[in-house]
Amino acid sequence: MKSKKVTLLSLNIDLSPSNRELLNRVRSSLDTHIMSSAKSVSQAVRQPQMNLKPANPSGQECNQTAARIYNEEKIAYRNFQSGFLQQRVLNTYRLMHTHQTVEFVKGKISQWASCSHAQMAVMDALHALDQMVDESDPDVDFPNSFHAYQTAEEIRKVYPDMDWLQLVGLLHDVGKILTLWGEPQWCVVGDTYPVGCRFQDSIVYRDCTFSDNPDLKDLRYSSLYGMYKPNCGLDNVLMSWGHDEYLYNVLKTNGCTLPEEGLFMIRFHSFYPWHTEGDYMHLCSNKDLNMLQWVKEFNKFDLYTKCDDMPNVKELQPYYQQLIDKYCPGKLCW
C-alpha cells in the first residue's frame, strides 16, 4: 500500500481543484509534523555546560547587562513594520529576496572564497566601516564600526575573562566591508536564511518580497528539504550570501585562532529564522543544536546594545588591538 501511494504522487495526474486543495493540505500537514518533530528533537539534545558566568561588579547586580536590556526593551528592537527607516529596510530586503538564489550564492562563494581581493590588518578593516551604515537595520542609522565597539564592550562587562568572546563582538560585522568594494548592500547585510529549500515564514518580509525569486518556482528547491537531507548540518547548507559567511571564510583561510564557538557565532549570527524563531531545525546536526546556545547568548549583545551612546574608540583601540594581535595578527588576506 505504501509503494502505491508513492507512485501515485509521482504521476502527472490532472487533479480536480478540490482534490488538489486536499493534497496540498496533506502535504502542509506533513511538513508541519516534520518541523514540529525536529524542534522537539532539538529541545531534547543535551546541551554542553557553557562556562559563561556573568561578572558581578562590586558585589552588586550588573543592571546594565545585555540580559537586562533583552528582558526589558526587546520589543523596541527589530521593528520591521514602522519607523522612519522602514521603507529603506523593506527595499533592501526586497532586492535580497528577489536575487538571492542558489546560482547567485554559488557565484559569490566562487568570487570571494579565494580571499585574494586585498591584504589588510583587522583594525584597518574595522575602521573602514566608519563609512558604512547598514541599510537593512531598522534600529540604528550610524556607522557600523560604532556598533562593533558597543557589542564588544558590553560583552567585556559581563564576561571580562573571555577575551575571545569580546573579540567576536568586535569583529562579527567586519565582513560588511564588502559594501566598500562594490557589492550592493542587499547581498551583504541583513538576516540570512538557507537557499535551495522552501523559504520559511519566519524570514523577514516573507509574505511580500519573494514573488520574483526564480527559486520559488523551481521544484528542486520548493519542498521542505529541497536539495538537502534531513539533519545534514548547517555546514552543508547553502546560506544566502552575506557578511557572516564572508568573514567566517576570511578568518578560516588566514588561520585565525578563535575557538570553534566564536567562528560559529560569526558565521550564523544573522540567521534569525533559526536562532530566534526556531525554524530550520530539521536541517540541523547535533553540533548545530549544541552551538545554538552560544549563538543565542551572543545575540543578546549583538542586538540589544544598539543605542545612541557612542563609545570612545580612541580609548578602546589599544585594548582591542592586543586581542587582534593574539587571535588574528598581522595583515589578513581578504
Side-chain angles (χ1 to χ4, degrees):
M1 188 68 176
K2 181 177 180 181
S3 61
K4 290 182 179 179
K5 289 183 179 179
V6 173
T7 302
L8 177 62
L9 291 177
S10 66
L11 292 175
N12 185 18
I13 298 175
D14 186 14
L15 296 174
S16 67
S18 60
N19 285 339
R20 186 178 293 109
E21 181 181 356
L22 176 60
L23 181 58
N24 287 336
R25 286 205 302 267
V26 170
R27 285 172 171 168
S28 177
S29 177
L30 287 172
D31 286 350
T32 301
H33 175 72
I34 291 171
M35 294 175 66
S36 176
S37 299
K39 291 180 181 180
S40 298
V41 169
S42 72
Q43 293 170 356
V45 172
R46 179 182 177 273
Q47 302 292 337
Q49 294 297 316
M50 294 172 62
N51 186 25
L52 296 178
K53 297 181 179 179
N56 199 355
S58 304
Q60 301 175 355
E61 282 192 31
C62 184
N63 290 326
Q64 297 301 315
T65 65
R68 179 197 68 81
I69 298 172
Y70 174 77
N71 290 327
E72 295 182 7
E73 301 178 10
K74 61 182 178 180
I75 296 177
Y77 290 88
R78 287 180 61 81
N79 178 3
F80 291 98
Q81 304 307 318
S82 62
F84 74 100
L85 299 174
Q86 194 266 339
Q87 193 59 49
R88 183 186 76 181
V89 174
L90 175 59
N91 290 339
T92 301
Y93 276 103
R94 180 177 286 114
L95 289 168
M96 178 196 304
H97 295 164
T98 297
H99 299 293
Q100 290 265 12
T101 63
V102 170
E103 183 179 3
F104 175 85
V105 171
K106 287 181 177 179
K108 287 301 171 187
I109 292 174
S110 176
Q111 178 181 352
W112 293 101
S114 63
C115 295
S116 58
H117 180 83
Q119 290 189 348
M120 185 183 302
V122 169
M123 190 63 78
D124 293 335
L126 175 63
H127 287 168
L129 297 184
D130 290 349
Q131 309 169 51
M132 189 267 175
V133 176
D134 188 332
E135 295 178 357
S136 73
D137 195 330
D139 301 319
V140 297
D141 195 31
F142 52 75
N144 213 245
S145 56
F146 291 104
H147 167 60
Y149 283 98
Q150 288 175 332
T151 305
E153 278 297 280
E154 195 64 44
I155 293 174
R156 186 180 174 188
K157 291 177 185 175
V158 181
Y159 300 115
D161 297 327
M162 301 183 71
D163 61 354
W164 65 266
L165 185 57
Q166 299 162 26
L167 186 58
V168 168
L170 187 76
L171 300 185
H172 71 284
D173 278 345
V174 172
K176 293 178 183 179
I177 196 172
L178 285 173
T179 63
L180 306 181
W181 293 335
E183 291 286 19
Q185 288 215 13
W186 57 261
C187 71
V188 177
V189 303
D191 294 4
T192 57
Y193 51 90
V195 297
C197 62
R198 182 180 303 156
F199 302 122
Q200 296 299 324
D201 291 341
S202 55
I203 300 173
V204 171
Y205 298 125
R206 171 63 181 88
D207 60 337
C208 62
T209 56
F210 277 93
S211 59
D212 293 328
N213 187 304
D215 284 0
L216 196 65
K217 304 172 183 66
D218 192 321
L219 295 179
R220 295 173 297 172
Y221 311 137
S222 60
S223 67
L224 183 66
Y225 288 100
M227 64 183 192
Y228 307 112
K229 295 180 180 179
N231 307 115
C232 60
L234 296 181
D235 285 340
N236 298 306
V237 171
L238 207 59
M239 300 294 294
S240 57
W241 178 253
H243 66 283
D244 300 42
E245 185 68 23
Y246 173 64
L247 181 60
Y248 169 79
N249 182 62
V250 167
L251 297 176
K252 290 281 287 185
T253 300
N254 285 276
C256 297
T257 57
L258 286 168
E260 185 178 15
E261 293 83 356
L263 294 172
F264 198 94
M265 292 175 191
I266 288 170
R267 192 178 193 182
F268 296 109
H269 73 272
S270 299
F271 190 7
Y272 276 86
W274 176 58
H275 65 64
T276 297
E277 301 299 332
D279 243 335
Y280 295 101
M281 295 298 178
H282 55 288
L283 300 179
C284 291
S285 64
N286 283 340
K287 170 192 170 183
D288 301 326
L289 299 177
N290 288 332
M291 287 289 188
L292 178 56
Q293 61 183 326
W294 289 92
V295 181
K296 283 179 172 290
E297 182 67 13
F298 176 76
N299 177 249
K300 298 175 185 177
F301 300 95
D302 180 18
L303 180 59
Y304 302 111
T305 56
K306 297 175 182 177
C307 65
D308 294 330
D309 185 14
M310 296 293 103
N312 188 325
V313 173
K314 288 186 177 180
E315 288 185 2
L316 297 174
Q317 185 173 344
Y319 174 77
Y320 287 103
Q321 184 62 59
Q322 293 179 26
L323 302 189
I324 292 171
D325 292 341
K326 179 178 179 179
Y327 293 101
C328 311
K331 289 187 176 182
L332 304 188
C333 297
W334 298 81

